[in-house]
Amino acid sequence: MLDEIKKKLGAPADLVAETMDNGFTKMEFCFFPSMCDIKQVKDGILVPFSYRFDPDEFKRMLKADVCFIDAPDPEEWVGMLLKGCALIKYEDRVYSFAAIRKMQQQPEDTEVEASLQGPQSAMTEDLDMNTYLIRLRYNVPTLTIEKLEKGDVSKTRLNILYDRDKVDLNSLEELKKRLDTVHTKLLQAAGQLGMLLGNARFSMFPNTIQSERPDRVAQFLQRGKIAILVDGSRFAVAMPVRFFDFMHAMDDDYEPFWMGRVIILFRYIGMLLSMTLPALYIAVASYNPEFVRVQLAFSIDGSRAAVPYPSFVEVFIMLFMIEALIEASIRLPRFVGSTAATVGGLILGQAAQQAGLVSSIMIIVTSVVAISNFVIPNSSFSYSIRAMKYVFVVAAIFYGMVGVIVTMFLIIVYLCHLRSFGQPYLALFLPSDEQSQKKSGA
Amino acid sequence: MNRYFYYHVLYVGMINVMLFVPHILIKERFDGSVAGILASILIGTFLSIVTIVSMRRFPRMGLPEILHRHFAPYVASPLVALAGLSWLVGAVLVIFSLTQTMGAFLNPEMNEYLFMALMVFAAMFAGSRSSRTVQFACEILVLLSLPLVALIMFKAVSNRQLNWDAIRVVAGHFRDLPSIKVIAAATFFFSGYMSLMLFNRLNPPDFKVRHLWTLPLLGTLFSLFTFFIPIGFHGTVAVEEYIYLWSVTADSMVMKFGFIQRVFFIFLVLYSILSLMFAMNTFHSAMEFFKACSPRYKPQPEQVPVPKINWILCACFGLVAFLYGIWANDEKNQRVTEIWLVCRFSLEIVTMLVVASLAVAAGRKPRASSPARAASPGE
């Protein structure tokens, strides 16, 4: 066995492959110490084989212990080793011992979807840990888990989770169809899978939702959605999604009802502002100053007095600045990040306006756009909204206020047109509808 | 599913402003408009309720399917095409007058055709979606525009400049006999139910429009509001001076607080949304009707991705709208609108007769499960 494995792997330096001899009998033994949990290997193989050796007990252990799996097929050996199993050959039979090293032993803290008073634990980058976290929160016998591997090189493990009583069968079928078409070499993140599944190239809005919160995934499952856990990613991908899912934060469910509704309302207002405000600025400054109150029109025009170019140039300058600033503060190491924010803040603040490059109202517009964009709880959706505002800006450049209105109309129709795994993306469902739908379906 | 029906009733009840209905009514305010409105309340209610009740006999079927089921293709296809054409003309008229209104009030310096291109594109894109999409979009858009409607209504009724005496004077002329034009125009307030001709396809088999009593109520509200408020603002005589009557009326109102001072701009936003919605629905209905001219066509309310034929048909409609825009001016447009209103009125009657008689025929057949249902009022 050892020679064959060495031949296939090219005898890497980190592979331990030895024939062990305890004085009574011999055993071939190989594993990657870097990928295995040494303690488990020691307790499970080395101790019983060396100073506690008893041939009968050892045999019984190999047969009965669920950790030891028969591995007669030489083709499988390398794959098992690479996953972190230890292989032993004892009395001409090969067994694999799963002693995979786990990085995570306990749930992490939420980082992306923070919550004030909700559960603070988030998923980890370990598939089994994540599955545990979800089973813990959604503890019903109907929770179904299907296993899958994707990625030609990475062989990433996936778990598909759904409640088989509540799941929409059409969506499940469509998901499986799409999963069959997914071909990639390296599958490293949940978002990547979401993109591959969701026809992202043709859609301006995300078709799947990612979440790092087990409580959120449990809620999704309870609502009949399907979740996919990807090994090595702390995010679960859930589908089918609706527009409203992206605007929903878990805190809304944990706070008093009306407080939650008010916050949601603010969030929608924020989303609208972040999408349309730059375009409205262009429309009011260059096309329809009469649209707003006279005093406001004057102050907008007054603040633009020193600016030597049309309003849309100004908008593009400032939007570029703010996008660059946001991008920089995400990517930069934390030590440098604050510097970027300070410098950017200085420029976006007084200096640009005093230099006559942009109007002071435009600075307010920019900050409102940035801040209200942060209000959106889901980051992939907030990317979409960030991109959407340029559509509005372009429409406003050519058509002014009418352009903004028509674009709004088109985006609503487009959102209604989208389907996420067969389910409508933007549509209101009232409880009575769902009942009648079920009735007519039955 | 019920609410989807009422969204259509709501926006069709309001879109009349873009089709010069207030202007037509106001022109004859001293000879027959009031009586016409009163008559149209009766006629409109009768037409809509009889049609709706008859449609219950045909679950999940639109007008094309009903016609194809009972008539030979050479009878059914032209009828379906005619219905489609009537929708299409409505769309073209609304797109034209939206372009004119926006051009006149918002961007006077802009090239008219550039403007029209935007509207046509929006209607094309929206109309070519699937029926379900159109219905979802209708819901969202109606819900978004309702606060604006409420605001304008509130502003109008609570306005101190509103002269109730003028309204009373005109209301006193209810004894004069109305012309057919006035009745045709006034029944348009009730035309929302016609959307059932297409969207009945989406309804579940046991679907029943509930709360039918709201239909006359809503229609009456819309008609009285559209007719009397401008009179109250402009006086009994000056009111006939304006073609874009409601735009001018909305401009008579002021909001003391807020970013926007003139209610007129709220009105413009509202009516551009409503017109686009109307254009979307009419383009879509026309498209579906034309597609259904062939008896072999199978309706598919949910189609993703959008098939090419949708794009092609809607592009043709867009072209028609564009050509009409080149040919028409305000005067011609008004005349065409009046003709269209009368044609639409007669088509509605024909539709009602056809659907009701087919429903009765279907009810008489022995295999009909519940004969009690066929005995609907007015048959």
Side-chain angles (χ1 to χ4, degrees):
Chain A
M1 178 186 84
L2 293 181
D3 295 337
E4 197 165 334
I5 287 172
K6 274 185 187 160
K7 207 168 73 193
K8 271 192 188 158
L9 285 173
D14 60 341
L15 178 75
V16 172
E18 276 173 24
T19 308
M20 300 196 343
D21 190 344
N22 62 358
F24 297 96
T25 177
K26 283 183 183 174
M27 178 177 80
E28 287 184 10
F29 171 59
C30 69
F31 74 116
F32 281 103
S34 53
M35 301 193 67
C36 290
D37 190 343
I38 299 286
K39 198 164 173 289
Q40 275 190 53
V41 173
K42 197 177 137 203
D43 290 348
I45 303 175
L46 296 183
V47 172
F49 185 72
S50 53
Y51 51 92
R52 292 264 172 84
F53 187 69
D54 180 329
D56 287 342
E57 273 184 28
F58 195 73
K59 246 192 217 162
R60 220 181 310 145
M61 181 185 82
L62 287 182
K63 265 190 189 149
D65 195 332
V66 284
C67 289
F68 290 95
I69 300 165
D70 240 349
D73 185 7
E75 298 294 315
E76 287 177 356
W77 291 345
V78 173
M80 284 173 163
L81 273 180
L82 285 173
K83 272 187 191 156
C85 296
L87 289 184
I88 52 174
K89 188 174 178 187
Y90 184 75
E91 293 183 344
D92 285 339
R93 290 190 69 164
V94 179
Y95 299 92
S96 91
F97 177 73
I100 302 161
R101 177 191 286 228
K102 301 275 179 202
M103 279 185 294
Q104 261 81 19
Q105 296 298 327
Q106 56 198 25
E108 290 183 26
D109 288 340
T110 50
E111 273 171 21
V112 185
E113 294 166 81
S115 145
L116 273 184
Q117 298 193 350
Q120 301 293 331
S121 58
M123 294 203 277
T124 65
E125 298 195 345
D126 175 43
L127 181 66
D128 300 312
M129 183 78 201
N130 293 350
T131 313
Y132 156 73
L133 282 172
I134 288 167
R135 274 245 186 238
L136 186 72
R137 288 192 187 269
Y138 195 69
N139 202 342
V140 293
T142 47
L143 177 64
T144 310
I145 297 185
E146 288 178 25
K147 284 191 172 181
L148 210 67
E149 266 183 16
K150 276 285 160 193
D152 300 338
V153 175
S154 60
K155 299 252 174 13
T156 313
R157 292 186 298 150
L158 307 178
N159 274 1
I160 306 173
L161 284 73
Y162 55 89
D163 187 327
R164 67 174 166 274
D165 281 354
K166 292 181 172 153
V167 74
D168 181 66
L169 290 175
N170 297 331
S171 306
L172 192 65
E173 201 175 306
E174 174 144 4
L175 170 70
K176 289 196 174 148
K177 234 186 270 165
R178 290 220 196 149
L179 270 173
D180 286 342
T181 63
V182 168
H183 289 296
T184 179
K185 288 216 161 113
L186 282 172
L187 180 60
Q188 319 216 56
Q192 196 186 355
L193 181 70
M195 198 187 70
L196 290 169
L197 283 177
N199 263 344
R201 201 177 286 181
F202 306 107
S203 166
M204 285 194 275
F205 290 91
N207 221 337
T208 51
I209 190 167
Q210 294 178 57
S211 177
E212 61 164 1
R213 300 184 62 92
D215 52 339
R216 192 144 202 220
V217 177
Q219 193 187 44
F220 283 154
L221 291 173
Q222 189 254 325
R223 288 186 186 159
K225 293 190 203 299
I226 308 161
I228 302 182
L229 298 176
V230 180
D231 196 19
S233 165
R234 57 185 275 143
F235 292 94
V237 192
M239 73 265 331
V241 282
R242 288 168 59 206
F243 179 80
F244 307 104
D245 290 331
F246 293 104
M247 299 299 285
H248 177 261
M250 281 318 281
D251 264 341
D252 303 340
D253 296 344
Y254 302 144
E255 299 297 334
F257 182 79
W258 285 110
M259 307 305 121
R261 299 305 107 166
V262 171
I263 300 289
I264 290 178
L265 176 70
F266 285 149
R267 229 175 265 149
Y268 279 96
I269 296 174
M271 180 191 73
L272 270 182
L273 280 181
S274 146
M275 257 199 304
T276 55
L277 208 58
L280 287 177
Y281 177 78
I282 295 177
V284 169
S286 302
Y287 278 90
N288 310 106
E290 75 277 11
F291 206 92
V292 293
R293 177 168 288 277
V294 180
Q295 294 90 325
L296 186 60
F298 277 143
S299 53
I300 290 175
D301 208 42
S303 79
R304 267 180 50 73
V307 183
Y309 31 69
S311 57
F312 71 88
V313 178
E314 203 186 336
V315 165
F316 275 128
I317 292 175
M318 285 311 270
L319 285 185
F320 171 73
M321 284 302 301
I322 194 74
E323 302 286 7
L325 192 64
I326 294 173
E327 202 51 28
S329 46
I330 295 174
R331 309 278 165 239
L332 272 180
R334 261 174 217 160
F335 320 105
V336 204
S338 56
T339 327
T342 320
V343 175
L346 278 179
I347 297 173
L348 292 182
Q350 285 293 311
Q353 186 249 330
Q354 274 170 2
L357 287 177
V358 292
S359 71
S360 47
I361 301 239
M362 188 58 219
I363 290 174
I364 300 173
V365 168
T366 317
S367 12
V368 171
V369 166
I371 293 169
S372 33
N373 195 53
F374 296 146
V375 165
I376 299 168
N378 184 284
S379 71
S380 42
F381 193 68
S382 96
Y383 276 123
S384 292
I385 298 295
R386 258 166 83 182
M388 257 13 266
K389 77 177 166 242
Y390 293 100
V391 179
F392 278 94
V393 165
V394 170
I397 290 174
F398 291 107
Y399 287 102
M401 199 55 89
V402 184
V404 179
I405 299 168
V406 174
T407 313
M408 196 74 216
F409 168 80
L410 285 177
I411 284 185
I412 289 175
V413 174
Y414 177 73
L415 280 170
C416 291
H417 159 74
L418 281 182
R419 298 283 183 274
S420 166
F421 295 85
Q423 298 285 311
Y425 199 72
L426 175 63
L428 302 180
F429 282 120
L430 302 183
S432 62
D433 275 6
E434 276 164 25
Q435 280 164 11
S436 70
Q437 263 180 357
K438 261 181 204 151
K439 240 190 256 165
S440 65
Chain B
M1 299 296 117
N2 226 327
R3 60 208 158 96
Y4 289 117
F5 171 76
Y6 281 99
Y7 296 134
H8 290 280
V9 173
L10 279 175
Y11 79 83
V12 174
M14 292 184 280
I15 197 66
N16 61 76
V17 168
M18 296 308 280
L19 287 164
F20 305 106
V21 171
H23 184 63
I24 294 168
L25 292 180
I26 293 283
K27 260 201 293 192
E28 304 195 12
R29 66 197 171 289
F30 293 127
D31 13 64
S33 277
V34 184
I37 289 176
L38 292 178
S40 80
I41 293 174
L42 292 179
I43 298 172
T45 312
F46 177 75
L47 280 177
S48 49
I49 289 185
V50 170
T51 315
I52 291 166
V53 171
S54 314
M55 285 302 272
R56 280 183 197 161
R57 286 256 140 232
F58 308 102
R60 285 184 170 275
M61 287 162 92
L63 184 66
E65 287 88 78
I66 297 174
L67 291 178
H68 278 302
R69 197 191 204 187
H70 293 273
F71 295 113
Y74 56 85
V75 183
S77 295
L79 282 176
V80 173
L82 189 66
L85 196 68
S86 129
W87 284 115
L88 175 60
V89 175
V92 168
L93 292 174
V94 165
I95 289 179
F96 180 77
S97 67
L98 177 68
T99 317
Q100 291 293 317
T101 319
M102 290 293 158
F105 294 103
L106 266 181
N107 294 13
E109 289 149 37
M110 181 164 259
N111 183 344
E112 211 181 303
Y113 299 114
L114 209 61
F115 225 82
M116 191 149 225
L118 179 72
M119 299 300 168
V120 165
F121 172 74
M124 243 172 69
F125 174 82
S128 59
R129 305 296 101 183
S130 68
S131 297
R132 245 181 125 202
T133 302
V134 170
Q135 215 166 22
F136 290 147
C138 266
E139 170 162 43
I140 306 284
L141 291 165
V142 166
L143 291 182
L144 282 181
S145 48
L146 274 184
L148 303 183
V149 178
L151 178 76
I152 293 173
M153 282 195 165
F154 171 74
K155 274 282 158 195
V157 175
S158 68
N159 203 310
R160 274 203 218 137
Q161 308 284 324
L162 191 71
N163 187 349
W164 289 96
D165 285 336
I167 294 177
R168 245 169 264 147
V169 168
V170 174
H173 289 267
F174 63 88
R175 283 197 199 87
D176 311 282
L177 274 184
S179 66
I180 186 77
K181 202 167 79 182
V182 165
I183 292 186
T187 44
F188 187 64
F189 291 109
F190 294 84
S191 278
Y193 74 92
M194 285 299 277
S195 67
L196 207 59
M197 294 296 133
L198 178 73
F199 289 100
N200 200 32
R201 285 175 180 176
L202 289 170
N203 293 329
D206 54 348
F207 174 76
K208 242 180 171 182
V209 181
R210 265 168 289 158
H211 315 298
L212 276 180
W213 50 269
T214 45
L215 282 180
L217 229 68
L218 283 171
T220 313
L221 181 75
F222 286 134
S223 53
L224 295 183
F225 202 84
T226 334
F227 179 67
F228 282 114
I229 294 293
I231 295 175
F233 272 105
H234 302 292
T236 51
V237 179
V239 70
E240 71 176 343
E241 308 272 315
Y242 310 105
I243 302 177
Y244 295 103
L245 178 63
W246 254 93
S247 307
V248 183
T249 308
D251 211 5
S252 321
M253 304 173 218
V254 175
M255 281 194 294
K256 247 189 184 168
F257 313 104
F259 290 108
I260 301 171
Q261 196 168 19
R262 291 156 74 182
V263 175
F264 171 58
F265 287 112
I266 308 251
F267 174 83
L268 279 189
V269 171
L270 170 65
Y271 270 89
S272 27
I273 295 177
L274 287 180
S275 313
L276 286 170
M277 255 173 87
F278 186 78
M280 165 175 78
N281 274 295
T282 39
F283 263 41
H284 181 73
S285 302
M287 178 188 83
E288 286 292 331
F289 275 31
F290 281 135
K291 277 203 292 187
C293 279
S294 136
R296 270 168 306 161
Y297 173 75
K298 266 201 172 156
Q300 279 172 296
E302 171 93 327
Q303 260 180 320
V304 181
V306 171
K308 251 193 203 128
I309 179 81
N310 286 16
W311 280 108
I312 295 170
L313 275 174
C314 281
C316 294
F317 298 163
L319 196 68
V320 171
F322 214 84
L323 291 177
Y324 179 78
I326 294 174
W327 172 78
N329 51 26
D330 270 347
E331 205 178 319
K332 283 181 193 164
N333 182 41
Q334 223 180 316
R335 232 177 308 141
V336 175
T337 308
E338 283 169 16
I339 297 170
W340 178 74
L341 281 172
V342 176
C343 292
R344 178 207 56 84
F345 180 52
S346 21
L347 265 182
E348 261 178 46
I349 296 177
V350 172
T351 314
M352 191 263 303
L353 289 176
V354 170
V355 174
S357 48
L358 288 181
V360 172
R364 286 232 181 97
K365 277 179 195 162
R367 63 188 164 85
S369 50
S370 57
R373 266 224 213 136
S376 46
E379 281 176 16

